[in-house]
Amino acid sequence: MPTSTLRIPTPDGQADAFPDRGERHPAVLLYPDAFGLRPELEARARELAAHGYYVLVPNLYYRHGPAPVIDLPAYIGEEIRPALIDRFLPLVQEHSAERILRDADAYLGFLADQPEVGAGPVGVIGYCIGAALAMRTAAARPDRVAALAGFHPGFLVTGAPDSPHRLLSALTAEVHLGLSEGDMSPTSIDELHQALDAAGVRHSTEVYPGTLHGYTMSDTEAFSPSGLELHWDRLLALLDRTLATG
C-alpha cells in the first residue's frame, strides 16, 4: 500500500500525519502515545492497514514542527524515559479540550474527503495519552465514530470538570479499554463504567495480565509481546464488529 507523510490543514496550522492506505476501506484515526509519531507508530499503522483499514496517525505536536518534534532514540529504556517524559510533558499539557476537538474535526474531515475511505463510520484508537484524545473525539462526534479503543490509557478519569469520563452522555461507539496493571485505580474504573453504562453503549475493560504502562510499544522497555498480541485480538474484533459493514 502507498504511504507518505502528508499535511492536514487545521485552524492552528498544518498537521503532519502518517497515512497507510490502499483501496476503499473503513477509516481509523490512531492517536499516538506521549512520545508521538515515530517509526513504531508508522509500523502499527501499516499492520492495521494490512487488515483492511485506512489508518491516519497525526503528529500531536505539529504546532511545534514536523515529527519528530523531540529527537528520540531507537529504543526508549527506563534510564532515559523520565527525562524524555519531562520534555514531552509541557507539549502534552498544551492539549486543551478545545484544541483536541479542533484537531479532531480536521482529521475526521480529511478522512471523509479521501477517495480511499469508505462512506461508513470510523474507528478511533489511542495509546497512553492518546486514549484520552480518542475518547474526547468519540464523545464529541457520535455521528462519525462507531468504535473507540484505548490501550494503556491515561487521564480518562480525572478531577477536572471536563474529564473525558464526564463527557460520554452522547457516546454511541462501542468501547474497549486494555489496561496495564496499575493504569487505573478500582475507583476510577468504577466511575468510568458508570459513565459508559449511563451512555448505554457496549463496552469492555480488561486488565492485561503481567503488563506495564506502554506494553504495546516495542521501542520501550515496557513492551510485552503477549500484551501486544492480546491488544490485536481485541482491537481487530472490535473494528470488525463496528466498521466492516459500515
mmCIF file of all heavy atoms in Angstrom, residues 31-35 81 126-133 150-156 213-214 217:
data_model
loop_
_atom_site.group_PDB
_atom_site.id
_atom_site.type_symbol
_atom_site.label_atom_id
_atom_site.label_comp_id
_atom_site.label_asym_id
_atom_site.label_seq_id
_atom_site.Cartn_x
_atom_site.Cartn_y
_atom_site.Cartn_z
ATOM 1 N N TYR A 31 -4.446 7.810 17.524
ATOM 2 C CA TYR A 31 -3.706 8.800 18.301
ATOM 3 C C TYR A 31 -2.513 8.141 18.984
ATOM 4 O O TYR A 31 -2.669 7.145 19.710
ATOM 5 C CB TYR A 31 -4.599 9.411 19.379
ATOM 6 C CG TYR A 31 -5.630 10.388 18.878
ATOM 7 C CD1 TYR A 31 -6.987 10.057 18.885
ATOM 8 C CD2 TYR A 31 -5.276 11.652 18.434
ATOM 9 C CE1 TYR A 31 -7.951 10.956 18.465
ATOM 10 C CE2 TYR A 31 -6.234 12.563 17.998
ATOM 11 C CZ TYR A 31 -7.572 12.206 18.025
ATOM 12 O OH TYR A 31 -8.526 13.108 17.607
ATOM 13 N N PRO A 32 -1.309 8.687 18.818
ATOM 14 C CA PRO A 32 -0.113 8.085 19.431
ATOM 15 C C PRO A 32 -0.079 8.258 20.945
ATOM 16 O O PRO A 32 -0.891 8.976 21.544
ATOM 17 C CB PRO A 32 1.041 8.870 18.787
ATOM 18 C CG PRO A 32 0.457 9.579 17.613
ATOM 19 C CD PRO A 32 -0.974 9.809 17.947
ATOM 20 N N ASP A 33 0.912 7.622 21.541
ATOM 21 C CA ASP A 33 1.208 7.831 22.949
ATOM 22 C C ASP A 33 1.954 9.149 23.115
ATOM 23 O O ASP A 33 2.128 9.916 22.162
ATOM 24 C CB ASP A 33 2.005 6.653 23.518
ATOM 25 C CG ASP A 33 3.349 6.451 22.820
ATOM 26 O OD1 ASP A 33 3.686 7.235 21.901
ATOM 27 O OD2 ASP A 33 4.061 5.504 23.187
ATOM 28 N N ALA A 34 2.410 9.426 24.322
ATOM 29 C CA ALA A 34 3.036 10.721 24.611
ATOM 30 C C ALA A 34 4.309 10.954 23.808
ATOM 31 O O ALA A 34 4.681 12.112 23.570
ATOM 32 C CB ALA A 34 3.330 10.833 26.105
ATOM 33 N N PHE A 35 4.989 9.897 23.384
ATOM 34 C CA PHE A 35 6.218 10.071 22.616
ATOM 35 C C PHE A 35 5.950 10.425 21.156
ATOM 36 O O PHE A 35 6.887 10.747 20.415
ATOM 37 C CB PHE A 35 7.088 8.817 22.705
ATOM 38 C CG PHE A 35 7.586 8.535 24.099
ATOM 39 C CD1 PHE A 35 7.396 7.294 24.680
ATOM 40 C CD2 PHE A 35 8.238 9.515 24.830
ATOM 41 C CE1 PHE A 35 7.856 7.029 25.961
ATOM 42 C CE2 PHE A 35 8.703 9.264 26.116
ATOM 43 C CZ PHE A 35 8.506 8.014 26.683
ATOM 44 N N ARG A 81 13.801 7.285 30.052
ATOM 45 C CA ARG A 81 12.371 7.572 29.965
ATOM 46 C C ARG A 81 11.962 8.781 30.819
ATOM 47 O O ARG A 81 11.232 9.664 30.320
ATOM 48 C CB ARG A 81 11.570 6.336 30.366
ATOM 49 C CG ARG A 81 10.061 6.506 30.253
ATOM 50 C CD ARG A 81 9.332 5.266 30.768
ATOM 51 N NE ARG A 81 7.902 5.415 30.679
ATOM 52 C CZ ARG A 81 7.160 5.021 29.667
ATOM 53 N NH1 ARG A 81 7.743 4.450 28.623
ATOM 54 N NH2 ARG A 81 5.860 5.200 29.666
ATOM 55 N N GLY A 126 -6.493 5.060 20.691
ATOM 56 C CA GLY A 126 -5.467 5.852 21.346
ATOM 57 C C GLY A 126 -4.630 5.016 22.283
ATOM 58 O O GLY A 126 -5.123 4.063 22.900
ATOM 59 N N TYR A 127 -3.367 5.393 22.370
ATOM 60 C CA TYR A 127 -2.426 4.742 23.271
ATOM 61 C C TYR A 127 -1.946 5.778 24.291
ATOM 62 O O TYR A 127 -1.634 6.919 23.941
ATOM 63 C CB TYR A 127 -1.232 4.188 22.493
ATOM 64 C CG TYR A 127 -1.629 3.153 21.474
ATOM 65 C CD1 TYR A 127 -2.021 3.527 20.191
ATOM 66 C CD2 TYR A 127 -1.635 1.799 21.794
ATOM 67 C CE1 TYR A 127 -2.413 2.589 19.257
ATOM 68 C CE2 TYR A 127 -2.026 0.844 20.866
ATOM 69 C CZ TYR A 127 -2.408 1.245 19.596
ATOM 70 O OH TYR A 127 -2.807 0.301 18.668
ATOM 71 N N CYS A 128 -1.910 5.392 25.572
ATOM 72 C CA CYS A 128 -1.447 6.303 26.624
ATOM 73 C C CYS A 128 -2.317 7.565 26.593
ATOM 74 O O CYS A 128 -3.546 7.486 26.604
ATOM 75 C CB CYS A 128 0.036 6.576 26.432
ATOM 76 S SG CYS A 128 0.802 7.690 27.622
ATOM 77 N N ILE A 129 -1.720 8.737 26.511
ATOM 78 C CA ILE A 129 -2.476 9.985 26.461
ATOM 79 C C ILE A 129 -3.405 10.021 25.248
ATOM 80 O O ILE A 129 -4.468 10.653 25.269
ATOM 81 C CB ILE A 129 -1.516 11.196 26.437
ATOM 82 C CG1 ILE A 129 -2.303 12.522 26.462
ATOM 83 C CG2 ILE A 129 -0.601 11.150 25.227
ATOM 84 C CD1 ILE A 129 -3.115 12.758 27.691
ATOM 85 N N GLY A 130 -3.034 9.305 24.193
ATOM 86 C CA GLY A 130 -3.877 9.258 23.005
ATOM 87 C C GLY A 130 -5.242 8.654 23.261
ATOM 88 O O GLY A 130 -6.202 8.956 22.543
ATOM 89 N N ALA A 131 -5.355 7.803 24.294
ATOM 90 C CA ALA A 131 -6.659 7.230 24.617
ATOM 91 C C ALA A 131 -7.630 8.305 25.082
ATOM 92 O O ALA A 131 -8.825 8.254 24.779
ATOM 93 C CB ALA A 131 -6.506 6.149 25.683
ATOM 94 N N ALA A 132 -7.137 9.292 25.831
ATOM 95 C CA ALA A 132 -7.994 10.389 26.268
ATOM 96 C C ALA A 132 -8.439 11.231 25.076
ATOM 97 O O ALA A 132 -9.593 11.668 24.998
ATOM 98 C CB ALA A 132 -7.271 11.246 27.299
ATOM 99 N N LEU A 133 -7.530 11.461 24.126
ATOM 100 C CA LEU A 133 -7.898 12.199 22.923
ATOM 101 C C LEU A 133 -8.931 11.422 22.113
ATOM 102 O O LEU A 133 -9.874 11.999 21.562
ATOM 103 C CB LEU A 133 -6.659 12.489 22.077
ATOM 104 C CG LEU A 133 -5.830 13.726 22.441
ATOM 105 C CD1 LEU A 133 -5.280 13.638 23.856
ATOM 106 C CD2 LEU A 133 -4.702 13.944 21.441
ATOM 107 N N GLY A 150 -8.823 2.105 23.634
ATOM 108 C CA GLY A 150 -7.698 2.727 24.318
ATOM 109 C C GLY A 150 -6.838 1.665 24.974
ATOM 110 O O GLY A 150 -7.364 0.745 25.603
ATOM 111 N N PHE A 151 -5.530 1.803 24.812
ATOM 112 C CA PHE A 151 -4.606 0.809 25.362
ATOM 113 C C PHE A 151 -3.569 1.506 26.231
ATOM 114 O O PHE A 151 -3.078 2.574 25.889
ATOM 115 C CB PHE A 151 -3.947 0.030 24.224
ATOM 116 C CG PHE A 151 -4.945 -0.711 23.387
ATOM 117 C CD1 PHE A 151 -5.434 -0.157 22.212
ATOM 118 C CD2 PHE A 151 -5.448 -1.932 23.800
ATOM 119 C CE1 PHE A 151 -6.387 -0.813 21.450
ATOM 120 C CE2 PHE A 151 -6.403 -2.605 23.055
ATOM 121 C CZ PHE A 151 -6.878 -2.045 21.876
ATOM 122 N N HIS A 152 -3.274 0.882 27.368
ATOM 123 C CA HIS A 152 -2.526 1.513 28.468
ATOM 124 C C HIS A 152 -2.878 3.002 28.554
ATOM 125 O O HIS A 152 -2.026 3.877 28.405
ATOM 126 C CB HIS A 152 -1.014 1.264 28.387
ATOM 127 C CG HIS A 152 -0.395 1.324 27.025
ATOM 128 N ND1 HIS A 152 0.107 2.484 26.489
ATOM 129 C CD2 HIS A 152 -0.169 0.362 26.095
ATOM 130 C CE1 HIS A 152 0.612 2.248 25.294
ATOM 131 N NE2 HIS A 152 0.462 0.959 25.021
ATOM 132 N N PRO A 153 -4.183 3.296 28.798
ATOM 133 C CA PRO A 153 -4.671 4.673 28.713
ATOM 134 C C PRO A 153 -4.260 5.508 29.921
ATOM 135 O O PRO A 153 -3.980 5.002 31.009
ATOM 136 C CB PRO A 153 -6.191 4.492 28.678
ATOM 137 C CG PRO A 153 -6.426 3.248 29.476
ATOM 138 C CD PRO A 153 -5.260 2.350 29.147
ATOM 139 N N GLY A 154 -4.254 6.819 29.695
ATOM 140 C CA GLY A 154 -4.013 7.763 30.769
ATOM 141 C C GLY A 154 -5.020 8.896 30.725
ATOM 142 O O GLY A 154 -5.534 9.242 29.659
ATOM 143 N N PHE A 155 -5.345 9.442 31.894
ATOM 144 C CA PHE A 155 -6.167 10.650 32.009
ATOM 145 C C PHE A 155 -7.590 10.483 31.500
ATOM 146 O O PHE A 155 -8.199 11.436 31.029
ATOM 147 C CB PHE A 155 -5.486 11.831 31.296
ATOM 148 C CG PHE A 155 -4.082 12.086 31.740
ATOM 149 C CD1 PHE A 155 -3.009 11.686 30.957
ATOM 150 C CD2 PHE A 155 -3.820 12.696 32.961
ATOM 151 C CE1 PHE A 155 -1.699 11.900 31.374
ATOM 152 C CE2 PHE A 155 -2.518 12.920 33.379
ATOM 153 C CZ PHE A 155 -1.456 12.523 32.590
ATOM 154 N N LEU A 156 -8.150 9.276 31.625
ATOM 155 C CA LEU A 156 -9.555 9.087 31.257
ATOM 156 C C LEU A 156 -10.489 9.554 32.361
ATOM 157 O O LEU A 156 -11.615 9.997 32.083
ATOM 158 C CB LEU A 156 -9.835 7.612 30.944
ATOM 159 C CG LEU A 156 -9.056 6.980 29.788
ATOM 160 C CD1 LEU A 156 -9.544 5.564 29.561
ATOM 161 C CD2 LEU A 156 -9.157 7.814 28.524
ATOM 162 N N HIS A 213 2.650 -0.089 31.895
ATOM 163 C CA HIS A 213 2.183 1.008 31.053
ATOM 164 C C HIS A 213 3.116 1.156 29.842
ATOM 165 O O HIS A 213 4.329 1.294 29.995
ATOM 166 C CB HIS A 213 2.162 2.312 31.841
ATOM 167 C CG HIS A 213 1.589 3.457 31.078
ATOM 168 N ND1 HIS A 213 0.234 3.597 30.861
ATOM 169 C CD2 HIS A 213 2.185 4.487 30.439
ATOM 170 C CE1 HIS A 213 0.024 4.682 30.142
ATOM 171 N NE2 HIS A 213 1.189 5.244 29.863
ATOM 172 N N GLY A 214 2.515 1.108 28.652
ATOM 173 C CA GLY A 214 3.286 1.168 27.416
ATOM 174 C C GLY A 214 3.530 -0.193 26.780
ATOM 175 O O GLY A 214 4.341 -0.302 25.850
ATOM 176 N N MET A 217 4.244 -0.981 22.944
ATOM 177 C CA MET A 217 5.284 -0.273 22.204
ATOM 178 C C MET A 217 6.616 -1.029 22.251
ATOM 179 O O MET A 217 7.285 -1.065 23.280
ATOM 180 C CB MET A 217 5.457 1.148 22.765
ATOM 181 C CG MET A 217 4.190 1.978 22.710
ATOM 182 S SD MET A 217 3.645 2.228 20.990
ATOM 183 C CE MET A 217 2.000 2.927 21.254
#
